[in-house]
Amino acid sequence: MLQVCPNGPRTEGVPVSPEEVAAAVRAAADVGAQDAHLHPKDATGADTLDPFHVAETITAVRARTPSIDVGVTTGAWTAPDPAERAALIRSWTVLPDHASVNFHESGAEMVAEALFERGVAIEAGIFSGTEGAERFLRWPHAHHVLRVLAEVTDTAPETATDTAKALLHAIGTRHARPILLHGEDGGAWPVLRLAVRHNLDVRIGLEDTLTLPDGSPAGDNAALVQTARALLAP
């Protein structure tokens, strides 16, 4: 599975408004993206879980690309208090298909429970260099998540793949859930190639990297997805 992550917490050079995000997802889907991970933005361009902005972004994406599954972030930077994040999730008027929960963050289990209550599938975000894997594997509902989102925060192309291998070892397989492995910035393409070799789900987009494998600037999300799709080809 190839997921597009069109914006992330970035505020410049990425789609921000619902219309921009929807157009980016449509273009990415046209060249092979099968799923989308979004960061809805408020009027200042900051990530938000506010029900109005979440609904506006999801609705715009589904109107342009009804066939794609849509996920959103629940990262702690959207609202530092996990109880507030859980309350915002319970106030959503339009539900995504899935949402990511970063298990190294305080209150991750509370946020995940709120998503379960709403019937929203969970991507369990496990960051390298954190205790996220241990916390996730101790959680009684680990085997109920949609997938594990193995996130390599090592941005050095020389070491990112070794960091990714260590992260995969820490996550293991006893949870019996699919794994999506991805890197960021300088580590994005080396980690994607590793994921392809291990037959894991992958993602790419301007959230993860602004450049193509040769280091040249990526024109847009569709260019990144098209390049990733070529690497996935047998």
Side-chain angles (χ1 to χ4, degrees):
M1 187 273 290
L2 173 56
Q3 182 183 80
V4 63
C5 49
N7 54 3
R10 303 183 198 268
T11 57
E12 296 183 4
V14 300
V16 172
S17 72
E19 294 75 18
E20 290 170 344
V21 174
V25 172
R26 173 75 258 181
D30 285 345
V31 292
Q34 300 155 293
D35 191 282
H37 169 78
L38 315 176
H39 287 226
K41 308 283 188 178
D42 64 17
T44 70
D47 289 358
T48 181
L49 299 183
D50 175 81
F52 173 79
H53 295 295
V54 170
E56 192 177 33
T57 301
I58 294 172
T59 300
V61 170
R62 286 177 174 159
R64 292 287 295 270
T65 317
S67 61
I68 204 165
D69 282 346
V70 179
V72 300
T73 184
T74 65
W77 58 89
T78 60
D81 182 354
E84 181 183 358
R85 296 202 301 280
L88 286 166
I89 289 166
R90 293 186 177 101
S91 74
W92 285 348
T93 57
V94 174
L95 298 177
D97 297 291
H98 54 78
S100 61
V101 177
N102 300 326
F103 268 80
H104 67 282
E105 294 175 348
S106 175
E109 297 86 352
M110 182 189 305
V111 173
E113 292 292 344
L115 291 167
F116 275 144
E117 288 176 19
R118 299 304 311 275
V120 177
I122 293 171
E123 288 185 318
I126 313 298
F127 282 44
S128 62
T130 73
E131 62 175 11
E134 293 83 354
R135 284 184 61 184
F136 170 68
L137 293 173
R138 289 196 303 267
W139 186 47
H141 305 295
H143 58 293
H144 289 145
V145 301
L146 174 66
R147 66 177 67 94
V148 175
L149 187 59
E151 311 200 49
V152 180
T153 59
D154 181 354
T155 61
E158 301 83 6
T159 58
T161 53
D162 286 339
T163 302
K165 291 173 184 177
L167 177 60
L168 291 173
H169 178 75
I171 293 170
T173 58
R174 63 185 176 90
H175 49 78
R177 306 311 303 145
I179 295 176
L180 188 161
L181 176 66
H182 78 96
E184 58 186 50
D185 295 326
W189 291 108
V191 171
L192 187 144
R193 292 189 182 95
L194 177 68
V196 171
R197 291 198 297 272
H198 286 268
N199 199 30
L200 302 175
D201 292 338
V202 300
R203 86 175 199 185
I204 201 70
L206 293 175
E207 172 175 357
D208 287 349
T209 182
L210 302 176
T211 61
L212 296 170
D214 63 2
S216 62
D220 53 22
N221 283 285
L224 291 168
V225 170
Q226 192 166 31
T227 302
R229 173 55 65 186
L231 294 175
L232 287 167

